[in-house]
Amino acid sequence: MKMAIQEIHQELGEDSISTDDEDLKMHGYSEWSSINIDRLPVAVAFPKSTAEVATIARVCHKYKVPMIPYSGGSSVEGHFAAAFGGVSVDFLNMSDIVDFHPEDMDIVVQPSVSWMELNENIKSSGLFFPVDPGPPDEKILAHLITSTSGTNAVRYGTMKDWVVNLTIVLPDGKIIKTRQRPRKSSAGYNLNGLFTGSEGTLGFVTEATLKLAAIPQETGVGMTTFKTIRDATNAATQIVRQGIPVGAVELLDDVQMDVINKMGATGRTWKKLPTLFFKFSGTKVGVQDNIEDVRKIVEENHGSKLEVEKDKAKQAVLWSARKEALWSMLCMRESGHEVWSTDVAVPLSRLPDLVEISKRDLDKLGLFGSMLGHVGDGNFHETILFNGNEKREMVSKCVHDMVHRAIEMEGTCTLLITIKGEHGIGLGKKEFMEKEVGEGSLSVMRGIKRSLDPFWLMNPGKVFDP
């Protein structure tokens, strides 16, 4: 590793790589993560181009040094943990929009462009990138490696649906491009699908060409409350099954709404009840029709009066509760306590059952925990605050019970099959892989991994073991 660091210094310059203790800690430990290990990277590299990433990969491959992609540090399943030491490759200096083709409705970006920065830069064109992962500074790379979904997934799909092509640096330093720039192609294997969601275990994504969508003519944001979480979930799944083209359907439980009130960041007081938030978008007539259709389903499922805002400023206030959810929970954490955040996804018909049972188990813990989710696409999250020295075992059992239950319902522990989850496998959910996809599928995945990365250097220890 020392020889590799020295050679990277020589080839790329003194500022290209750091062994500073603070840099190492920041790139090996995360307060977001449910999984942290007692190991840090040996160095952190800061490439400025695809060519520099290729140099880092070539040197690390030469000395058999592990490489871990890093962008933003928002992982909750230990994706960027340095399980075997090695070099963390931080894309901080690769945050440019490389090319923009408004006439073709696509854009070429580097890994550390944030989705909100991207949309702000192109809004005058009448186009936007519709995958909304949540936090405004979330980076494109973080969502490519886990094929994230986000709040808009019920209408626009997940990250994988918006990738045109990728520039990839393979573990040995070779540079490839997955496809040309048409929106669809049947030329060979689907390499976009292979690398998107691979969690940095097959190569570095250094550029991505992404599809864009037209900014809707009309938008609306709505919310309503329910007496029970099952009623709320039933309403959400019924809306999707009836084909009402809502932009988003988000569930926050009673605990989460109470936390948002305590933080006071939204400027209003919310009822401490299970709450659904909606986005509507389309033509003026279409949005109004969709609102009325949703209103009827809410009433059928014992919901309160549907509150809808069409003014942009008022929409932001109404939606702010969903945007503040995670930050509000993290602010409630006491000094020295830990946070466990995870997700599952199931087929829509099983979602009300899983949400209700999981909520009951969460309440039985007697700890501070909440549920929220992109229930429109069958996905929800649990966040639990606890004293790690005393309560980790019981929290682990609660979370693992939820995961096993989801898989038994033909769902996913997070990312790989059925309706897409988004937190990925990382270090945290490797043990569930065989139960979910079977040993046959795992063998195929291992074969792909060995063919591209025979020395197991790219983000080793994640997704599955050799």
Side-chain angles (χ1 to χ4, degrees):
M1 291 190 186
K2 289 180 180 178
M3 294 170 71
I5 293 168
Q6 183 179 4
E7 192 163 324
I8 292 170
H9 265 150
Q10 291 171 347
E11 295 218 25
L12 301 182
E14 194 70 24
D15 294 337
S16 64
I17 194 162
S18 169
T19 55
D20 180 78
D21 287 344
E22 284 301 312
D23 280 339
L24 300 185
K25 183 176 180 182
M26 186 180 80
H27 290 79
Y29 173 85
S30 171
E31 291 189 352
W32 292 71
S33 184
S34 308
I35 304 295
N36 280 298
I37 59 173
D38 190 22
R39 188 77 183 263
L40 296 175
V42 173
V44 182
F46 297 94
K48 299 181 180 69
S49 66
T50 295
E52 290 194 0
V53 177
T55 296
I56 293 165
R58 176 177 51 76
V59 172
C60 288
H61 189 268
K62 173 182 175 182
Y63 293 104
K64 306 299 181 287
V65 172
M67 298 167 274
I68 307 101
Y70 182 98
S71 179
S74 58
S75 160
V76 298
E77 299 294 351
H79 293 95
F80 63 83
F84 298 91
V87 174
S88 175
V89 181
D90 188 335
F91 288 90
L92 174 69
N93 297 321
M94 294 178 67
S95 57
D96 291 337
I97 293 175
V98 178
D99 210 351
F100 179 31
H101 310 109
E103 67 282 0
D104 295 324
M105 299 177 69
D106 69 46
I107 193 164
V108 185
V109 299
Q110 291 184 317
S112 281
V113 172
S114 74
W115 68 280
M116 283 200 69
E117 174 191 353
L118 170 59
N119 283 335
E120 183 63 27
N121 283 330
I122 66 173
K123 66 181 181 181
S124 62
S125 70
L127 302 172
F128 81 123
F129 179 62
V131 179
D132 175 359
D137 59 346
E138 286 281 85
K139 311 301 183 186
I140 293 295
L141 177 63
H143 309 299
L144 279 167
I145 66 172
T146 61
S147 191
T148 189
S149 56
T151 60
N152 290 345
V154 66
R155 174 160 187 168
Y156 290 104
T158 64
M159 187 72 186
K160 66 176 178 57
D161 301 310
W162 293 87
V163 176
V164 176
N165 64 45
L166 300 169
T167 299
I168 304 289
V169 174
L170 296 175
D172 61 0
K174 290 188 180 73
I175 302 170
I176 66 167
K177 204 171 188 71
T178 55
R179 274 180 45 187
Q180 293 276 43
R181 208 163 48 83
R183 286 198 159 208
K184 62 181 182 178
S185 170
S186 299
Y189 293 168
N190 180 7
L191 295 183
N192 285 343
L194 178 63
F195 286 99
T196 303
S198 64
E199 303 191 24
T201 61
L202 300 179
F204 294 105
V205 178
T206 61
E207 285 184 9
T209 302
L210 304 173
K211 290 185 262 187
L212 302 172
I215 296 174
Q217 177 189 112
E218 179 85 353
T219 61
V221 171
M223 61 81 61
T224 183
T225 60
F226 296 82
K227 292 181 180 179
T228 70
I229 203 163
R230 176 174 273 275
D231 284 340
T233 313
N234 279 334
T237 55
Q238 191 176 335
I239 287 165
V240 175
R241 283 200 300 269
Q242 290 193 12
I244 302 171
V246 290
V249 188
E250 295 289 303
L251 169 69
L252 278 67
D253 72 359
D254 55 326
V255 174
Q256 185 66 70
M257 298 308 296
D258 189 41
V259 168
I260 293 168
N261 284 335
K262 289 176 180 177
M263 292 299 102
T266 64
R268 65 176 281 178
T269 301
W270 307 85
K271 291 182 181 179
K272 188 184 172 183
L273 290 169
T275 304
L276 286 182
F277 289 86
F278 302 94
K279 285 184 184 178
F280 303 94
S281 61
T283 64
K284 290 187 177 183
V285 173
V287 166
Q288 190 55 46
D289 287 344
N290 295 338
I291 289 171
E292 292 308 313
D293 289 340
V294 168
R295 198 186 305 276
K296 291 176 186 176
I297 292 174
V298 167
E299 290 174 358
E300 290 170 7
N301 288 277
H302 319 295
S304 66
K305 181 180 178 181
L306 180 66
E307 178 182 345
V308 179
E309 295 290 354
K310 292 187 179 178
D311 176 80
K312 294 291 185 183
K314 292 180 179 178
Q315 285 180 18
V317 172
L318 198 59
W319 192 253
S320 66
R322 175 61 186 92
K323 284 295 185 184
E324 293 294 330
L326 175 61
W327 314 114
S328 298
M329 280 297 290
L330 292 178
C331 287
M332 296 295 293
R333 179 172 48 176
E334 297 179 23
S335 177
H337 283 207
E338 298 181 41
V339 56
W340 193 312
S341 180
T342 193
D343 75 330
V344 293
V346 291
L348 281 176
S349 62
R350 303 308 307 271
L351 186 64
D353 294 333
L354 183 60
V355 168
E356 185 176 52
I357 296 168
S358 299
K359 173 65 174 171
R360 190 184 309 140
D361 285 355
L362 186 59
D363 291 342
K364 284 180 183 177
L365 276 179
L367 299 173
F368 203 82
S370 72
M371 290 175 62
L372 61 89
H374 318 313
V375 288
D377 64 349
N379 175 217
F380 70 92
H381 309 249
E382 281 190 354
T383 303
I384 307 170
L385 308 182
F386 65 102
N387 183 328
N389 295 327
E390 300 175 5
K391 305 294 185 179
R392 173 167 283 275
E393 187 173 336
M394 60 186 291
V395 172
S396 176
K397 182 180 184 306
C398 177
V399 170
H400 289 188
D401 285 348
M402 178 182 72
V403 171
H404 285 298
R405 200 175 292 121
I407 294 173
E408 288 165 2
M409 292 179 176
E410 298 182 271
T412 173
C413 66
T414 180
L415 177 72
L416 294 174
I417 60 172
T418 317
I419 299 170
K420 298 296 181 182
E422 58 184 334
H423 283 179
I425 299 297
L427 288 173
K429 290 183 174 178
K430 289 192 298 183
E431 63 184 282
F432 305 113
M433 282 286 287
E434 184 175 350
K435 182 173 182 179
E436 180 170 332
V437 305
E439 179 54 39
S441 292
L442 270 182
S443 295
V444 172
M445 292 180 200
R446 288 191 181 99
I448 294 170
K449 170 73 169 171
R450 280 192 294 270
S451 69
L452 293 175
D453 185 16
F455 301 110
W456 223 265
L457 300 178
M458 283 298 310
N459 213 6
K462 317 300 164 56
V463 185
F464 47 78
D465 294 320

